[in-house]
């Protein structure tokens, strides 16, 4: 108790120091006065009396010191003093401070920014009630037989594990029904699926929005409350319920002005009338994949209303619904999985039986998929998993930069503390304890780290913005919730503190080992060499790590350059693209042809336009059509996949895609004439090798449309439609993206294969903006109900398809530049310090006749040796890391091997050049040493 | 002055407490004087050391202090023993007595007692 009380009182006094100082002075004054009076009374003369009184009192200063010690807490006192001293020290050498703070801030900032993005992409749970209780259903199958038989919509892919199985998160409706109706395991089971883009008309104005459809328990199951109005319930699924729609807060703000009157408003979605009944809270974007947002949420039951031509609900064999659930209390995830798996297997079998192609294959035990009940706190994060490894890779690289930053600062501090040996020795001689000295140094380091931490956090905020712009390939249109939250802040602080301790510990340990005598003497440069051997080690380490980072940057830069130089097989320049959706404006398969004819005619008549064409899919947009090809009718075993695009006859001319043989498509290839097709060279090589393909026929079976790789071989029955006749061969050209190999491709005329969606290509001569305006006007004149969207140039489209690669190239070259900068700062700092220490030695050498060039060479050689050792260690390190990361790199790189020798050579050359540059300034300073001044230097 | 015994910190605190117990509230100079008087001028209180001790006692709650007026109308800071201080004095005085008794016995011991 006594202790605590004393501490409290002392703590209080700490802040009322001045008052107490005064009180003490007053008491001493009183004391002396009393004593003086007494002395006078005892018969001394007044002047003598006071002198005697002072003598009797004793040493006032020592007493004050003792008083102050008693008054305060020594630790706090010292800490404050250390801090003050530290600030003074840092201010005395602003160069060092700026470099050290900048170095660390860059390291910390890059780490925090990346962590923020990784956090948002990989770690952050949905903003719903108890997200930890949510579960996501995932199927796992040795082959695609059952999931793909009746069609599949959603993410599926290799499970990345050793099994090589397929995994996916889309299920047939039947699986959902069976799980929902099973009692005793889940408290909620709900399903949802993204919808195609919605054409929305609000108060006569049209725009497009993203959408999803959900089952009745969706919002209750997630635990989301309405921000305004009400959310969808099971009642909205009942037949006869008025079509209701729920919108997100972001969409409400962006498109509908955030007005409260939105509740109850009637809107038209794909020509059907819906009523907006509620708004979800800000930040809630649904449980879809990160790059899929749903502005508008519709009940599953209204799907035929919004998509009459696409009755997915009627297709029992289609796997398309994402299923999530909440556990009932007392049930574990493992129990749920064990209970649900047989139910799911049965539903999969029943769905397969209901699918159209069941007679083509026999189902065996190995075809049954297995159900996994996975944690679902992040919603459907299936596709997101593929970003886990690239992001972790980047995280690792940025971690390396932080490591460089730390070693750099450690080197700086080491050099500095060497320079301060005399000061320390002096302080020890004056009675400072070694622990105090060490603590002083640690305080300085933490102070430095603290300042750097603040600067780094600011940098992180800016870096996060930059990263988010670069990571659009992950997010698509989604808005990530990336405010600096407590976890990210915690991470930043932890990094800072760790860094501070890390680089504070070396010099502090050394300071505690100071020998007095040699340091008090002013020495002639003989101690310099051995004293900073630690610093040399750090430089070598930095160079080695920088080499690894530089090599990585080189790989990504070359990937990007390779992509830029890829020949797409057509001319990307001076082409404007836009899309229309005539279906939303009421066109059908018979009226669409004349519309396209008229549009192409009017568009190519615009002044400044060379030609205009259309295609079902724009090129390099990651989307494609794929169909199975049968060279002989009726053979179910040849149905290999080819890529298909539906185009206008002018397509080849507009895209400058040369016809190598035969003819292009013509206006005379109409629905009345024989079906004509132009194929590419690869198509010929694959299906008609060594033959003259002109006039050859083939049949087309079923297929799919979408992004990513074509589904493997389909279980299609061979078609009974009429065959297609090859009329021409076009040069090979890239279709989905620049990276993929060119596949066999067939170009079909739109007159024979009506398409309700079209992308227009307009080749213009010079003025892009004028043409864009004219295009809009033209389309409006033809039909004011036709909205024009995705207006962009083909070059923009092409660049967009490289956004992932560009992000990696941008980021890694930033990181590489950072590493290089840090390493050269480190080298520069170390050499400058050496030169300063060795100034007297250099002076003697020069006085004894050494040439300036020899001195220059001496310092340069020193830096070169360090860098050479670093490179020698860095090359095997780089190769080892390339090997370790090769599984990730293979997916990211294009046209360059992870262990590319040329790339490594360039990185080494850059490093050596920068090292020489960093060494040159100190070397020149050394060469300019004036012997007479140098000898008087210390 | 030089051959007077220096006084140890803990002992000085005990003397201060006893002085205040016997004489009631006193200012610093008064305490110093009384200690010298009582110890029969055998002890030189390094007067400066008194004030840190007083502060420590005050922080420990054994004494309280306040400004007041001295007998010759001079302003001075008066120290007063608290209840805690009185209890502490009793306790430490007991300790001290025990210690001195033991020490005294040792010094009084004759060779035959130690056999």
């Amino acid at each position: 108790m006594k202790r605590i009380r004393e501490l409290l009182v002392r703590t209080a006094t700490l802040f009322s120091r001045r008052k107490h100082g005064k009180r003490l002075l007053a008491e001493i004054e009183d004391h002396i006065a009393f004593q003086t009076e007494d002395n006078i009374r005892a018969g001394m003369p007044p002047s003598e009396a006071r002198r005697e009184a002072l003598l009797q009192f004793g040493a006032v200063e020592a007493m004050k010191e003792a008083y102050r010690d008693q008054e305060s807490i020594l630790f706090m006192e010292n800490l404050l003093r250390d801090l003050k001293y530290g600030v003074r020290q840092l201010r005395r050498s602003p160069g060092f401070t700026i470099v050290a703070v900048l170095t660390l801030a860059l390291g910390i900032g890059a780490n925090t920014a990346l962590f923020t993005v990784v956090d948002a992409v990989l770690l952050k749970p949905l903003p719903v009630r108890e997200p930890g209780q949510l579960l996501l259903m995932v199927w796992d199958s040795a082959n695609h037989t059952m999931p793909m038989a009746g069609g599949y919509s959603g993410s599926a892919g290799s499970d990345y594990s050793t099994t090589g199985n397929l995994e996916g998160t889309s299920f047939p409706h039947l699986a959902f029904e069976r799980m929902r109706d099973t009692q005793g395991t889940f408290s909620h089971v709900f399903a949802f699926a993204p919808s195609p883009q919605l054409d929305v008309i609000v108060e006569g104005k049209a725009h497009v929005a993203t959408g999803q459809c959900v089952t009745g328990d969706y919002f209750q199951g997630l635990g989301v409350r309405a921000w305004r109005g009400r959310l969808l319930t099971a009642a909205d699924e009942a037949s006869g319920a008025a079509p209701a729609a729920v919108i997100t807060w972001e969409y409400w703000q962006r498109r509908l002005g955030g007005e409260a009157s939105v509740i109850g408003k009637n809107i038209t979605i794909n020509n059907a009338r819906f009523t907006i009944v509620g708004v979800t809270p800000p930040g809630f974007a649904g449980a879809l994949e990160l790059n899929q947002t749903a502005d508008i949420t519709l009940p599953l039951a209204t799907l035929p209303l919004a998509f009459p031509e696409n009755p997915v609900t009627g297709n029992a064999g289609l796997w398309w619904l994402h299923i999530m659930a909440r556990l009932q209390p007392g049930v574990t995830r493992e129990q749920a999985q064990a209970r649900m798996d047989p139910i799911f297997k049965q539903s999969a079998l029943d769905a397969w039986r209901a699918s159209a192609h069941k007679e083509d294959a026999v189902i065996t035990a190995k075809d049954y998929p297995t159900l996994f009940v996975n944690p679902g706190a992040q919603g459907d994060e299936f596709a997101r998993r593929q970003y886990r490894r690239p992001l972790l890779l980047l995280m690792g690289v940025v971690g390396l930069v932080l490591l460089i930053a730390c070693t750099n600062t450690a080197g700086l501090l080491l050099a500095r503390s060497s320079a301060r040996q005399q000061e320390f020795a002096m302080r020890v001689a004056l009675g400072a304890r070694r622990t105090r000295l060490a603590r002083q140094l640690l305080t300085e380091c933490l102070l430095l780290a603290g300042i750097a931490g603040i600067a780094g956090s600011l940098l992180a905020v800016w870096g996060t913005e930059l990263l988010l712009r670069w990571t659009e390939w992950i997010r698509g249109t989604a808005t990530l919730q990336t405010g600096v939250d407590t976890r990210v802040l915690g991470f930043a602080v932890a990094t800072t503190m760790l860094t501070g301790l890390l680089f504070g510990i070396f010099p502090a340990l050394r300071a505690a080992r100071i020998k007095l005598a040699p340091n008090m003497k002013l020495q002639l440069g003989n101690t310099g060499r051995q004293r900073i051997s630690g610093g040399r080690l750090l430089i070598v380490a930095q160079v080695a790590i920088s080499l690894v980072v530089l090599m990585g940057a080189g790989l990504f830069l070359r990937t990007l350059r390779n992509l830029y130089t890829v020949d797409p097989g057509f001319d990307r320049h001076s082409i404007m693209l836009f899309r229309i959706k005539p279906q939303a404006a009421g066109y059908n398969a018979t009226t669409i042809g004349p519309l396209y004819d008229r549009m192409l005619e009017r568009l190519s008549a615009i002044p400044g336009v060379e030609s205009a064409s259309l295609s079902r899919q724009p090129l390099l947009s990651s989307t494609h059509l794929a169909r199975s090809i049968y060279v002989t009718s009726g053979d179910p075993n040849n149905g290999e996949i080819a890529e298909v695009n539906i185009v206008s006859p002018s397509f080849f001319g507009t895209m400058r895609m040369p016809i190598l043989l035969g003819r292009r498509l013509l206006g005379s290839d109409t629905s009345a004439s024989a079906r004509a097709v132009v194929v590419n060279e690869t198509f010929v090589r694959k299906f008609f090798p060594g033959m003259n393909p002109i006039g050859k026929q083939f049949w087309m079976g079923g297929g799919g449309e979408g992004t990513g790789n074509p589904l493997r071989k389909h279980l299609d029955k061979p078609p009974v439609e009429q065959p297609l006749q090859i009329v021409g061969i076009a040069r090979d050209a890239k279709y989905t993206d620049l990276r993929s190999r060119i596949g066999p491709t067939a170009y079909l005329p739109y007159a024979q294969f009506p398409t309700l969606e079209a992308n227009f290509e307009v080749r213009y001569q010079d003025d892009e903006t004028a043409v864009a305006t004219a295009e809009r006007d033209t389309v409006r004149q033809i039909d004011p109900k036709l909205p024009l969207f995705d207006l962009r140039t083909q070059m923009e489209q092409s660049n967009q398809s490289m956004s992932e690669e560009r992000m990696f190239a941008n980021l890694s070259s930033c990181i590489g530049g950072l590493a290089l900068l840090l390493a050269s700062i480190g080298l520069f700092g170390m050499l400058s310090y050496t030169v300063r220490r060795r100034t007297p030695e250099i002076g003697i050498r020069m006085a004894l006749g050494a040439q300036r060039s020899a001195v220059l060479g001496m310092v340069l050689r020193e830096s070169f040796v360090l860098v050479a050792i670093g490179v020698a260690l860095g090359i095997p390190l780089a190769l080892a890391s390339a090997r370790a990361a090769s599984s990730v790199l293979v997916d990211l790189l294009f046209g360059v091997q992870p262990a590319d020798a040329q790339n490594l050579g360039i990185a080494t050359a850059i490093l050596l050049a920068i090292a020489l540059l960093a060494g040159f300034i100190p070397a020149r300073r050394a060469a300019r040493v004036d012997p007479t001044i140098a000898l008087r230097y210390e | 002055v030089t051959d007077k015994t220096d006084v140890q910190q803990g002992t000085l605190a005990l003397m201060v407490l006893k002085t205040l117990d016997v004489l009631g509230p006193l200012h610093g100079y008064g305490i110093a004087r009384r200690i010298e008087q009582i110890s029969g001028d055998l002890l030189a209180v390094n007067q400066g050391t008194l004030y840190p001790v007083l502060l420590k006692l005050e922080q420990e709650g054994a004494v309280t202090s306040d400004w007041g007026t001295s007998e010759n109308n001079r302003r001075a800071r008066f120290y007063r023993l608290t209840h805690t201080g009185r209890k502490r004095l009793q306790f430490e005085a007991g300790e001290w007595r025990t210690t001195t008794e033991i020490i005294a016995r040792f010094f009084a011991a004759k060779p035959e007692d130690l056999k």
Side-chain angles (χ1 to χ4, degrees):
Chain A
M1 260 319 276
K2 208 171 87 183
R3 274 279 158 94
I4 296 170
R5 188 196 141 97
E6 196 182 334
L7 196 71
L8 282 177
V9 174
R10 282 185 184 199
T11 312
T13 23
L14 195 64
F15 300 103
S16 51
R17 165 67 41 79
R18 202 157 274 183
K19 216 174 83 194
H20 281 254
K22 258 189 209 151
R23 168 182 151 182
L24 177 67
L25 283 180
E27 280 198 79
I28 294 172
E29 206 39 63
D30 291 344
H31 187 108
I32 308 279
F34 277 124
Q35 182 78 61
T36 312
E37 278 174 24
D38 279 1
N39 287 351
I40 292 173
R41 226 170 289 140
M44 286 187 200
S47 58
E48 191 66 9
R50 182 163 173 87
R51 206 181 69 87
E52 188 60 28
L54 283 172
L55 268 177
Q56 275 171 300
F57 188 80
V60 176
E61 278 312 310
M63 190 232 120
K64 272 190 193 164
E65 188 72 26
Y67 192 87
R68 221 172 6 236
D69 274 359
Q70 180 57 42
E71 198 176 35
S72 61
I73 310 162
L74 211 58
F75 170 75
M76 288 279 276
E77 178 86 341
N78 282 336
L79 185 74
L80 281 177
R81 202 179 305 158
D82 283 353
L83 273 178
K84 272 188 206 154
Y85 186 77
V87 169
R88 218 163 44 226
Q89 283 294 326
L90 292 181
R91 277 174 54 181
R92 239 174 52 182
S93 40
F96 161 82
T97 308
I98 289 170
V99 167
V101 165
L102 216 65
T103 303
L104 277 175
L106 286 172
I108 291 167
N111 265 278
T112 311
L114 207 64
F115 185 82
T116 306
V117 173
V118 171
D119 180 51
V121 174
L122 296 179
L123 310 173
K124 194 165 273 185
L126 294 172
V128 300
R129 173 175 57 90
E130 299 182 52
Q133 287 182 354
L134 288 172
L135 302 168
L136 175 73
M137 306 298 155
V138 177
W139 58 262
D140 179 286
S141 174
N143 60 46
H144 60 272
T145 307
M146 274 169 68
M148 306 291 177
Y152 190 87
S153 163
S155 308
S158 163
D159 63 356
Y160 294 116
S161 68
T162 47
T163 63
N165 280 1
L166 274 176
E167 278 192 351
T169 50
S170 292
F171 290 85
H173 193 268
L174 205 56
F176 163 68
E177 285 172 32
R178 301 267 169 90
M179 287 186 205
R180 181 193 57 194
D181 298 340
T182 304
Q183 303 293 317
T185 308
F186 300 128
S187 62
H188 297 270
V189 180
F190 53 96
F192 51 98
S195 76
Q197 248 180 9
L198 303 172
D199 298 306
V200 183
I201 301 172
V202 183
E203 289 170 352
K205 273 186 264 171
H207 62 263
V208 290
T210 55
Q212 66 170 346
C213 48
V214 304
T215 60
D217 219 12
Y218 176 81
F219 287 111
Q220 286 77 12
L222 280 177
V224 180
R225 296 246 182 105
W227 182 259
R228 291 277 190 282
R230 66 168 180 92
L231 300 181
L232 299 175
T233 63
D236 292 298
E237 288 220 282
S239 60
V246 164
I247 59 175
T248 62
W249 184 87
E250 284 76 14
Y251 176 71
W252 179 43
Q253 297 293 326
R254 192 177 69 235
R255 281 291 186 183
L256 306 172
E259 287 161 24
S261 64
V262 76
I263 305 300
K265 186 169 272 190
N266 285 320
I267 60 171
T268 309
I269 299 175
N270 292 1
N271 289 330
R273 285 170 67 82
F274 281 81
T275 307
I276 295 176
V277 296
V279 179
T280 55
F284 177 80
L288 292 170
E289 286 285 0
L290 201 57
N291 56 359
Q292 299 172 323
T293 42
D295 296 331
I296 302 179
T297 302
L298 307 173
L300 209 61
T302 63
L303 211 57
L305 214 60
F307 296 95
E309 84 290 356
N310 188 18
V312 278
T313 37
N315 181 356
L318 180 69
W319 291 46
W320 62 292
L321 274 176
H322 308 298
I323 306 177
M324 287 182 69
R326 247 180 222 281
L327 277 180
Q328 248 180 29
V331 182
T332 67
R333 196 157 60 82
E334 288 73 21
Q335 286 169 341
Q337 185 162 313
R339 269 182 228 172
M340 285 299 153
D341 187 45
I343 294 170
F344 160 67
K345 281 194 165 80
Q346 186 58 46
S347 72
L349 182 67
D350 293 344
W352 179 79
R353 285 192 179 130
S355 75
H357 303 289
K358 59 176 186 283
E359 64 268 30
D360 285 344
V362 178
I363 287 291
T364 60
K366 70 175 171 45
D367 298 323
Y368 281 97
T370 308
L371 181 76
F372 284 105
V373 178
N374 283 2
Q378 293 166 278
D380 187 1
E381 42 79 70
F382 182 78
R384 217 180 301 174
R385 283 190 219 167
Q386 60 181 298
Y387 305 122
R388 191 182 292 268
R389 296 192 310 162
L391 280 177
L392 290 179
L393 182 77
L394 279 183
M395 208 53 204
V397 176
V398 174
L400 284 183
V401 173
L402 187 64
L403 199 64
I404 297 178
C406 287
T407 51
N408 208 340
T409 318
L412 280 169
L413 276 168
L414 214 55
R416 209 166 107 87
S417 73
S418 301
R420 285 168 67 185
Q421 294 288 303
Q422 283 175 22
E423 175 205 328
F424 293 146
M426 188 72 81
R427 290 177 66 186
V428 170
L430 289 177
R433 265 172 303 176
R434 278 144 217 259
T435 48
R436 278 281 292 115
L437 270 192
R439 210 171 57 200
Q440 163 75 48
L441 271 179
L442 266 180
T443 311
E444 276 178 38
C445 292
L446 287 178
L447 184 69
L448 210 56
I451 300 170
I454 295 168
S457 305
L458 294 177
L459 217 70
V461 171
W462 175 77
T464 308
E465 304 241 311
L466 198 69
L467 269 177
L468 283 181
R469 224 172 307 141
W470 284 347
T471 48
E472 269 169 298
W473 53 281
I474 297 178
R475 307 177 291 122
T477 54
T479 42
L480 281 186
Q481 300 295 309
T482 51
V484 173
D485 69 1
T486 43
R487 280 190 306 167
V488 175
L489 204 68
F491 180 80
V493 169
T495 326
T496 317
M497 293 315 261
L498 205 71
T499 307
L501 285 174
L502 213 68
F503 68 67
I505 253 158
F506 285 103
L509 285 181
R510 292 167 53 99
R513 278 194 281 115
I514 285 175
K515 287 198 191 71
L516 277 187
N519 280 298
M520 290 293 282
K521 291 188 217 131
L522 305 174
Q523 68 286 75
L524 258 186
N526 55 343
T527 44
R529 192 167 288 267
Q530 132 255 343
R531 175 142 301 137
I532 50 168
S533 58
R536 280 155 202 280
L537 226 90
L538 291 174
I539 294 285
V540 168
Q542 270 179 46
V543 170
I545 299 170
S546 302
L547 188 68
V548 177
V549 178
L550 273 184
M551 183 200 68
L555 289 177
F556 291 121
L557 280 174
R558 281 161 67 93
T559 292
L560 190 65
R561 203 200 55 192
N562 289 345
L563 282 176
Y564 270 119
T565 51
V566 155
D567 176 14
F570 64 93
D571 184 2
R572 278 172 289 180
H573 302 281
S574 302
I575 291 179
M576 187 81 77
L577 305 177
F578 66 87
R579 285 197 304 136
I580 57 163
K581 283 189 169 178
Q583 196 183 1
Y587 290 87
N588 59 36
T590 47
T591 55
I592 197 78
L595 170 74
Y596 290 155
D597 293 342
R598 198 161 66 245
M599 282 183 67
L600 288 175
E601 189 189 322
R602 293 282 296 276
L603 285 170
S604 47
I606 295 173
V609 166
E610 244 176 66
S611 63
S613 67
L614 72 82
S615 58
R616 166 69 190 250
Q617 304 289 359
L619 297 184
L620 309 181
S621 65
S622 307
T623 61
H624 69 173
L625 284 169
R627 301 289 289 270
S628 37
I629 302 297
Y630 299 87
V631 175
T632 50
S633 171
D635 179 0
N637 289 325
N638 65 19
E640 292 284 343
I641 297 285
E643 296 185 299
V644 170
N645 209 348
I646 300 169
V647 301
S648 68
S650 52
F651 179 75
F652 303 97
T654 306
M655 303 312 278
R656 299 208 172 132
M657 206 182 275
I659 301 292
L660 303 173
L661 199 65
R663 64 166 174 92
R664 63 180 177 96
L665 298 171
L666 294 170
S668 55
D669 297 317
T670 60
S671 48
S673 58
R675 295 190 153 193
V677 59
V678 168
V679 298
N680 70 353
E681 299 165 82
T682 310
F683 189 97
V684 175
R685 274 199 295 276
K686 183 162 178 89
F687 293 104
F688 302 100
M691 291 180 241
N692 179 0
I694 303 296
K696 289 273 187 303
Q697 292 189 330
F698 64 87
W699 287 260
M700 273 196 329
E705 179 176 14
T707 59
N709 295 321
L711 303 172
R712 273 169 263 176
K713 209 170 138 179
H714 273 254
L715 289 166
D716 270 327
K717 280 205 292 182
V720 286
E721 300 170 42
Q722 51 169 307
L724 289 85
Q725 189 169 42
I726 299 175
V727 297
I729 314 293
R731 205 185 134 196
D732 272 349
K734 299 275 184 183
Y735 186 171
T736 50
D737 54 83
L738 291 167
R739 188 185 264 274
S740 306
R741 229 180 302 157
I742 296 172
T745 312
Y747 302 96
L748 315 174
Y750 74 81
Q752 293 176 347
F753 299 86
T755 168
L756 287 169
E757 257 179 60
N759 179 78
F760 284 80
E761 297 94 15
V762 175
R763 179 168 288 281
Y764 58 92
Q765 274 152 350
D766 31 48
D767 192 357
E768 173 186 317
T769 43
V771 169
T773 317
E775 278 173 8
R776 275 185 200 285
D777 292 344
T778 307
V779 177
R780 198 174 304 132
Q781 281 162 24
I782 293 169
D783 188 341
K785 290 199 304 297
L786 271 182
L788 205 78
F789 45 98
D790 287 352
L791 190 71
R792 69 239 183 259
T793 66
Q794 179 69 60
M795 210 59 209
E796 283 165 357
Q797 179 69 60
S798 169
N799 286 339
Q800 200 188 322
S801 75
M802 290 188 277
S803 52
E804 177 180 335
E805 288 83 2
R806 213 172 31 247
M807 187 213 104
F808 271 100
N810 279 341
L811 207 60
S812 64
S813 42
C814 275
I815 297 171
L818 202 64
L820 205 58
L821 184 72
L822 292 179
S824 49
I825 288 176
L827 195 64
F828 171 77
M830 224 265 324
L831 287 174
S832 306
Y833 166 72
T834 318
V835 167
R836 213 179 57 223
R837 263 198 100 69
R838 289 174 67 185
T839 300
E841 179 206 324
I842 294 169
I844 290 177
R845 280 170 191 266
M846 293 181 82
L848 292 176
Q851 293 297 308
R852 281 181 198 282
S853 59
V855 173
L856 192 78
M858 182 178 76
V859 178
L860 279 184
R861 199 159 47 243
E862 189 181 336
S863 95
F864 193 79
V865 165
L866 284 182
V867 175
I869 298 173
V871 167
L873 292 174
I875 288 176
L877 191 67
L879 290 177
S881 4
R883 201 163 31 246
S886 64
S887 65
V888 191
L889 286 175
V890 159
D891 291 342
L892 297 172
L893 299 182
F894 179 75
V896 58
Q897 290 302 310
D900 186 74
Q902 192 193 350
N903 183 48
L904 204 53
I906 293 174
T908 309
I910 293 177
L911 208 52
L912 287 177
I914 294 288
L916 279 182
L917 208 69
F920 189 70
I921 301 168
R924 214 178 46 174
R925 197 183 301 150
R928 282 189 182 162
V929 164
D930 183 340
T932 52
I933 294 177
L935 289 174
R936 263 185 272 131
Y937 178 67
E938 289 198 337
Chain B
V1 205
T2 43
D3 51 352
K4 287 182 184 172
T5 315
D6 274 340
V7 73
Q8 283 165 340
Q9 274 253 318
T11 332
L12 184 59
L14 192 56
M15 289 178 188
V16 169
L17 291 179
K18 185 65 192 172
T19 309
L20 290 176
D21 187 36
V22 175
L23 299 174
L26 266 180
H27 47 72
Y29 178 73
I31 297 171
R33 281 240 56 86
R34 294 307 161 238
I35 289 177
E36 281 181 354
Q37 278 175 7
I38 293 169
S39 63
D41 280 340
L42 288 173
L43 204 61
V45 177
N46 182 352
Q47 296 172 344
T49 59
L50 181 66
Y51 289 94
V53 171
L54 281 171
L55 181 68
K56 184 170 161 59
L57 285 173
E58 190 173 354
Q59 283 171 347
E60 287 165 359
V63 301
T64 59
S65 71
D66 219 337
W67 291 108
T69 316
S70 75
E71 57 277 6
N72 44 11
N73 237 354
R74 179 179 289 282
R75 191 195 68 148
R77 195 162 184 92
F78 280 80
Y79 291 84
R80 181 196 318 270
L81 200 62
T82 63
H83 181 65
T84 321
R86 191 157 286 119
K87 274 193 357 208
R88 180 167 155 194
L89 174 62
Q90 282 165 8
F91 175 77
E92 286 193 9
E95 292 269 289
W96 187 255
R97 256 193 300 280
T98 318
T99 313
T100 46
E101 264 170 38
I102 293 167
I103 298 292
R105 261 188 231 167
F106 267 90
F107 286 130
K110 296 181 181 84
E112 54 267 34
D113 296 336
L114 296 174
K115 263 177 193 163

